[in-house]
Amino acid sequence: MTISGAKQETIIFAIETSCDETAMALVACKGGITNPRFRIIKNEVLSQINIHKEFGGVVPNIAKREHITALPQMIKMFESLPEFQKAKIIAVTTGPGLTPALWTGITFARELEKKTDKKVFSANHISGHLYSFLLSNPRNMNSLFPMIALVASGGHTILFLMKDLLTLQKLGETRDDAAGECFDKGARLLNLPYPGGPELEKLAMLGCAKTVNFPRPMISQKNYDFSFAGLKTSLLYKLKNNNKANWKDISVSGSSQNTNAKQNADIAASFQQAIIDCLLSKSLRAAKTFHCRSIVVSGGVSANKLLRKEFTREAKKNKIRFIAPEMRFSVDNASMIAASSYIENLKGIRRNFQADGNLAI
Ligand code: KG4
Ligand code: ZN
């Protein structure tokens, strides 16, 4: 089965199980590589957050167990739709991600292929994030290129230059932790529940970002790489020093609960600002260097409201268009897997059909 890419709609049924979200989507796709258009028929996500919360992070075998239970339940919401019968393609994430979790989606997709007239295709999770902005059908597609695309998620932070949807060049990536991982580890140090990113963002809203001058690792280096591990260590030391100082305060003046809460909000705001500054600075420099007309940010971190605000402001100053996916498509979902599968089929990309936790884009 190939996708002609012309006027006819191709309906794709997509499955995503790379981490702690079981997701399925039915997406109608049409148009060629210069103007692909998407219509979401149904998009379902079942999050396992509450189950993993007590462990402070995702436990791969529990994720696997939960996907195995959720997949047959979730497909019931799709099977009765006429468009589901019309879908001849199943797109399933084969990597990167947690290998046991990936296998659940792959096995489920293969079983479905055996029972129906649908053909299964392998999809890459990072490509899913990268192309997720297309689900909003941005106007004047041609005027977006060349484009800088930043994918910032829990597992990856990669900066791409795109001359068009077909021509992708990796400019740089993180040398250690991903931006989302930095949010998550920072949140844990601040005793915030999992998943850390949105919790740290909430706390940061109550604080002042100018309070602590956290380092901006690699920000002045003339490359497009990132490094976030040192930032987390700086936060650890800052909190240790504060604790010592607060103990002294308590012995002099009694309770320091309010001071602590205010201090933590200021620290969270400063920490968040440092991450955003690094992402923004490199994206903007790349966009100027390569005379780009747009910057796209995707992946879970692109759900951060301050990040969106600052990218929008700086892009506007530089007459560059800024695009982020719809909030529901910033975090993991299956519609983005359908979109990337459509684009990659148009490009003629075929991937190995096996779970690969470290699958490259
Ligand atoms: O793309 P995603 O849903 O899954 C991966 O592919 O990793 O991204 C999840 C990551 C987590 O690290 C999470 O803390 C972060 O995205 N994240 C955020 C926000 N929402 C999710 N980080 C900062 N601010 C947010 N609002
Ligand atoms: Zn993701």
Side-chain angles (χ1 to χ4, degrees):
M1 159 88 50
T2 48
I3 290 171
S4 66
K7 288 147 204 150
Q8 227 180 323
E9 263 190 351
T10 303
I11 299 179
I12 300 183
F13 177 62
I15 302 172
E16 155 64 42
T17 61
S18 69
C19 193
D20 60 344
E21 260 97 29
T22 314
M24 288 182 183
L26 204 51
V27 181
C29 319
K30 73 174 183 187
I33 197 73
T34 54
N35 195 26
R37 299 277 114 182
F38 298 94
R39 180 169 61 85
I40 315 288
I41 299 161
K42 193 166 180 63
N43 181 73
E44 288 294 331
V45 181
L46 182 69
S47 173
Q48 303 172 2
I49 282 176
N50 287 334
I51 295 153
H52 296 285
K53 219 172 204 155
E54 64 175 291
F55 304 99
V58 184
V59 183
N61 276 327
I62 297 181
K64 171 184 165 181
R65 185 192 72 196
E66 294 301 314
H67 287 311
I68 290 173
T69 316
L71 287 164
Q73 297 291 328
M74 191 174 273
I75 200 168
K76 288 188 191 143
M77 297 189 234
F78 289 83
E79 278 168 335
S80 57
L81 301 174
E83 290 94 339
F84 180 81
Q85 310 306 329
K86 280 192 210 151
K88 296 289 173 266
I89 291 179
I90 307 165
V92 63
T93 309
T94 54
L98 305 170
T99 308
L102 288 164
W103 273 122
T104 64
I106 295 171
T107 311
F108 192 82
R110 276 214 180 114
E111 290 299 315
L112 189 62
E113 183 184 41
K114 272 189 221 152
K115 284 190 283 187
T116 58
D117 60 348
K118 306 182 197 308
K119 174 144 180 50
V120 73
F121 283 88
S122 152
N124 180 300
H125 186 81
I126 306 173
S127 304
H129 281 304
L130 180 67
Y131 294 119
S132 58
F133 75 97
L134 293 173
L135 293 166
S136 321
N137 298 312
R139 66 199 145 76
N140 301 335
M141 277 291 292
N142 284 338
S143 70
L144 297 180
F145 299 99
M147 164 192 287
I148 288 298
L150 171 68
V151 177
S153 68
H156 298 87
T157 302
I158 311 178
L159 202 61
F160 295 99
L161 169 64
M162 290 172 86
K163 298 223 168 92
D164 49 47
L165 283 179
L166 278 171
T167 329
L168 194 65
Q169 183 191 341
K170 192 197 275 186
L171 296 177
E173 65 188 315
T174 184
R175 297 207 180 157
D176 40 55
D177 292 352
E181 193 178 354
C182 186
F183 267 103
D184 293 340
K185 288 179 174 172
R188 205 175 304 165
L189 291 173
L190 285 159
N191 282 326
L192 298 170
Y194 163 85
E199 293 292 332
L200 197 145
E201 176 180 35
K202 259 191 254 162
L203 181 61
M205 279 174 191
L206 309 172
C208 167
K210 293 201 173 111
T211 315
V212 187
N213 189 16
F214 282 114
R216 272 70 171 153
M218 299 186 73
I219 202 163
S220 44
Q221 288 186 21
K222 301 275 170 244
N223 54 36
Y224 299 105
D225 286 343
F226 305 91
S227 166
F228 292 106
L231 190 49
K232 173 201 67 199
T233 313
S234 303
L235 173 61
L236 179 68
Y237 285 124
K238 176 71 197 160
L239 290 171
K240 273 190 179 162
N241 287 340
N242 272 13
N243 275 348
K244 270 190 219 152
N246 287 346
W247 273 110
K248 276 188 210 144
D249 283 357
I250 292 174
S251 56
V252 177
S253 66
S255 167
S256 70
Q257 233 176 16
N258 286 342
T259 329
N260 244 339
K262 173 74 178 104
Q263 270 178 356
N264 278 0
D266 288 342
I267 290 171
S270 308
F271 185 74
Q272 170 178 260
Q273 190 66 56
I275 300 174
I276 294 174
D277 284 354
C278 294
L279 297 174
L280 178 57
S281 159
K282 296 255 165 153
S283 307
L284 209 57
R285 191 159 60 73
K288 286 189 212 163
T289 305
F290 296 100
H291 307 291
C292 290
R293 294 158 92 184
S294 69
I295 298 177
V296 172
V297 185
S298 59
V301 177
S302 72
N304 187 282
K305 292 185 198 71
L306 185 68
L307 178 144
R308 284 178 180 236
K309 198 170 149 195
E310 300 218 339
F311 267 79
T312 306
R313 188 192 62 221
E314 290 305 311
K316 196 172 172 194
K317 256 193 224 164
N318 289 282
K319 300 195 167 50
I320 295 167
R321 207 165 136 193
F322 171 65
I323 303 179
E326 253 181 71
M327 280 292 196
R328 65 181 172 144
F329 299 135
S330 276
V331 286
D332 287 350
N333 66 88
S335 290
M336 70 181 196
I337 298 304
S340 77
S341 183
Y342 185 69
I343 297 297
E344 294 203 336
N345 264 287
L346 289 175
K347 282 183 179 183
I349 293 178
R350 289 285 181 277
R351 299 181 179 278
N352 278 344
F353 205 80
Q354 58 183 42
D356 181 351
N358 299 313
L359 186 66
I361 190 164

